[in-house]
Amino acid sequence: MHFAYWRKKMKSPKFVITVLIVITIVVLYARTSASEPRIELDAKRGIYEQDIPDAAAGGLSTQDLYHEIEKLKAKIHELEKGRKVYPRVPILNYKDRKRILITGGAGFVGSHLTDKLMMQGHEVYVVDNFFTGRKKNVEHWIGHDNFELIHADIVNPLFIEVDQIYHLASPASPPNYMYNPVKTLKTNTIGTINMLGLAKRCRARLLLASTSEVYGDPEVHPQTEDYWGHVNPIGPRSCYDEGKRAAEALCYAYKKQESVEIRVARIFNTFGPRMHMNDGRVVSNFILQALQNQPITIYGQGEQTRSFQYVSDLVDGLIALMNSNYSLPVNLGNPDEYTISQFAEEILKRVGGSSKIIHKESPIDDPKKRKPDITLAKNILNWQPKVKVMNGVDKTIEYFREELRYSNLLPNNQV
């Protein structure tokens, strides 16, 4: 047997207790065989005909031994009742199995990516500082042989051995990245330098989760990868927009100077289960407001457009890009375009309730249009979204409904 097989067996409580039972029986038999007469066991009734104390063993009798074995069996049964059950994952050979690091892996997108890579049989290391990520998103993998959760901040260097790095760490919603703009910039610059340094040392491939925000408030519609963008470098959103632009520049500097293999995904608006309830994004805001019968808030006149993709489509695109031979930026998004007003009305129609739509002042530098051109992703990665937007919205509504029910925040008419 391979060493890995026995190492895995030694972690099983049932295996360990069985070995202890066998050792106990052998030791007691050796002690009693020299001094005790032969004891006949009634196999049908499961009891001993003789109960002769063993003076050499401190008075322990064969009947006592029988009771000890029964206690150990009961203990095994109790341990198995509380044993964690994991999804069945394939066992890959050492050539196909990769050691994969996901920064921000306990977050919304990162946790779904973790699920996909675990189900493919890879070893996954999740690093998160839990600013916006949650242990709940990955708790179903904690304790699995192929999974490790590391509570750390990538602004500090990380020393592990990996084959691939999905660099997702960064607050991604405006309220979160504006809450601490200096920290947002540090994560996207110093954190990216640390991950590129790790990739250089390990000769690993790094995928940067960039953003459509690098295009700013675009003057080209739809946005292609060769568009340089229209960004306010000192506005309230610049900590994120310029942070991601700097991260892209760092990736290509390391590629040119240090020959680090890099991939860059420009991610457009994404939604789905595990979104944080208070992240301030359009989809989560509208669904939560509708479920709680609160006014649905639209900033501006609602004529600005957005394109939304479901999280499973994004995960497929990230994995396809990581494993491709293409090193220039690639848009990953759904080209189905909605005005904010249209989207709010669709969600209200699906949720029901008594919410009304209200309008507030538009935030500074809010993009007027946002739609990806995914021709490159189709041609290079053979990728395009599969989940229709409103089908994904229905799944997300059910997720938030359960979250509110769990928190006792769901109104009676929505239960």
Side-chain angles (χ1 to χ4, degrees):
M1 290 289 181
H2 296 294
F3 175 73
Y5 171 81
W6 286 108
R7 184 178 63 180
K8 188 172 182 180
K9 291 288 285 183
M10 287 296 291
K11 292 183 179 180
S12 167
K14 185 174 180 179
F15 177 78
V16 173
I17 293 176
T18 302
V19 170
L20 290 173
I21 290 172
V22 172
I23 292 172
T24 303
I25 293 172
V26 170
V27 170
L28 289 172
Y29 179 77
R31 287 182 175 180
T32 57
S33 59
S35 58
E36 286 189 12
R38 186 179 184 84
I39 299 172
E40 296 179 3
L41 179 65
D42 185 339
K44 291 183 179 180
R45 295 177 62 193
I47 61 173
Y48 295 102
E49 289 183 345
Q50 283 183 266
D51 186 14
I52 303 173
D54 180 3
L60 184 65
S61 69
T62 49
Q63 189 67 34
D64 292 334
L65 176 59
Y66 174 77
H67 289 308
E68 286 299 317
I69 291 172
E70 292 302 315
K71 286 180 183 178
L72 288 170
K73 286 181 179 178
K75 183 66 175 176
I76 291 172
H77 182 68
E78 286 298 316
L79 288 169
E80 287 183 335
K81 282 200 301 185
R83 190 177 180 184
K84 193 169 183 178
V85 178
Y86 301 100
R88 185 179 294 274
V89 301
I91 299 175
L92 302 179
N93 62 45
Y94 75 96
K95 291 182 180 178
D96 297 329
R97 186 175 63 249
K98 292 182 175 63
R99 300 164 299 176
I100 300 174
L101 170 65
I102 306 175
T103 70
F108 160 47
V109 173
S111 63
H112 287 281
L113 178 60
T114 297
D115 288 347
K116 185 82 171 184
L117 294 172
M118 285 291 294
M119 293 303 295
Q120 290 179 352
H122 298 294
E123 295 179 19
V124 178
Y125 303 89
V126 164
V127 174
D128 209 298
N129 67 354
F130 300 110
F131 175 58
T132 56
R134 295 188 294 174
K135 282 186 181 179
K136 179 182 177 183
N137 291 339
V138 293
E139 66 179 355
H140 51 287
W141 292 115
I142 293 175
H144 194 284
D145 289 347
N146 288 357
F147 179 81
E148 185 170 346
L149 178 61
I150 304 169
H151 186 181
D153 194 321
I154 60 160
V155 169
N156 303 310
L158 188 67
F159 300 99
I160 58 174
E161 301 298 322
V162 293
D163 303 306
Q164 292 182 346
I165 302 169
Y166 287 86
H167 181 29
L168 276 58
S170 174
S173 68
N176 286 328
Y177 64 64
M178 290 181 191
Y179 173 77
N180 190 341
V182 173
K183 178 65 174 176
T184 300
L185 280 164
K186 282 185 174 181
T187 300
N188 284 297
T189 53
I190 298 172
T192 300
I193 290 171
N194 285 334
M195 291 303 102
L196 287 164
L198 177 63
K200 174 188 171 184
R201 182 177 65 80
C202 295
R203 298 184 179 179
R205 179 178 295 178
L206 180 141
L207 183 147
L208 171 69
S210 188
T211 173
S212 60
E213 295 291 339
V214 300
Y215 300 126
D217 186 6
E219 297 172 326
V220 172
H221 192 74
Q223 294 81 55
T224 58
E225 288 85 355
D226 57 4
Y227 175 53
W228 289 0
H230 178 225
V231 176
N232 179 355
I234 59 171
R237 305 168 72 103
S238 64
C239 60
Y240 185 65
D241 301 3
E242 297 290 12
K244 287 296 186 182
R245 289 163 72 93
E248 288 192 16
L250 283 164
C251 284
Y252 288 104
Y254 267 80
K255 179 179 184 294
K256 181 179 180 180
Q257 182 172 317
E258 307 294 347
S259 300
V260 174
E261 286 191 78
I262 59 105
R263 305 288 183 265
V264 175
R266 289 179 178 164
I267 300 170
F268 284 67
N269 294 60
T270 306
F271 70 97
R274 299 182 191 162
M275 293 181 78
H276 200 288
M277 287 202 294
N278 299 316
D279 72 357
R281 296 188 225 203
V282 171
V283 178
S284 55
N285 271 3
F286 287 177
I287 291 175
L288 285 168
Q289 288 168 347
L291 285 170
Q292 297 178 92
N293 296 323
Q294 297 173 354
I296 294 179
T297 306
I298 292 178
Y299 294 94
Q301 296 303 310
E303 296 304 312
Q304 63 269 43
T305 67
R306 295 292 183 270
S307 301
F308 301 97
Q309 68 178 329
Y310 192 64
V311 64
S312 62
D313 286 330
L314 172 59
V315 166
D316 291 342
L318 291 173
I319 294 173
L321 178 58
M322 173 64 90
N323 296 317
S324 74
N325 293 319
Y326 191 76
S327 61
L328 293 175
V330 177
N331 288 339
L332 294 179
N334 190 328
D336 288 348
E337 189 176 14
Y338 292 83
T339 67
I340 296 300
S341 292
Q342 287 175 336
F343 201 73
E345 289 165 3
E346 283 288 345
I347 287 178
L348 186 56
K349 183 170 66 177
R350 281 170 157 72
V351 173
S354 57
S355 296
K356 303 295 182 184
I357 294 176
I358 63 172
H359 293 263
K360 292 188 177 182
E361 185 180 354
S362 180
I364 300 172
D365 297 334
D366 189 39
K368 298 177 185 67
K369 289 186 179 292
R370 188 61 61 78
K371 177 182 177 180
D373 183 318
I374 60 169
T375 304
L376 194 59
K378 287 180 179 179
N379 294 339
I380 300 296
L381 308 179
N382 193 28
W383 175 90
Q384 61 182 336
K386 298 175 183 176
V387 179
K388 293 187 179 300
V389 174
M390 288 305 152
N391 290 344
V393 166
D394 290 338
K395 295 177 183 178
T396 309
I397 289 171
E398 287 309 307
Y399 168 77
F400 279 121
R401 197 189 301 275
E402 287 301 314
E403 287 285 292
L404 290 172
R405 185 179 290 118
Y406 179 78
S407 304
N408 294 318
L409 297 173
L410 195 66
N412 291 332
N413 69 331
Q414 293 289 353
V415 175

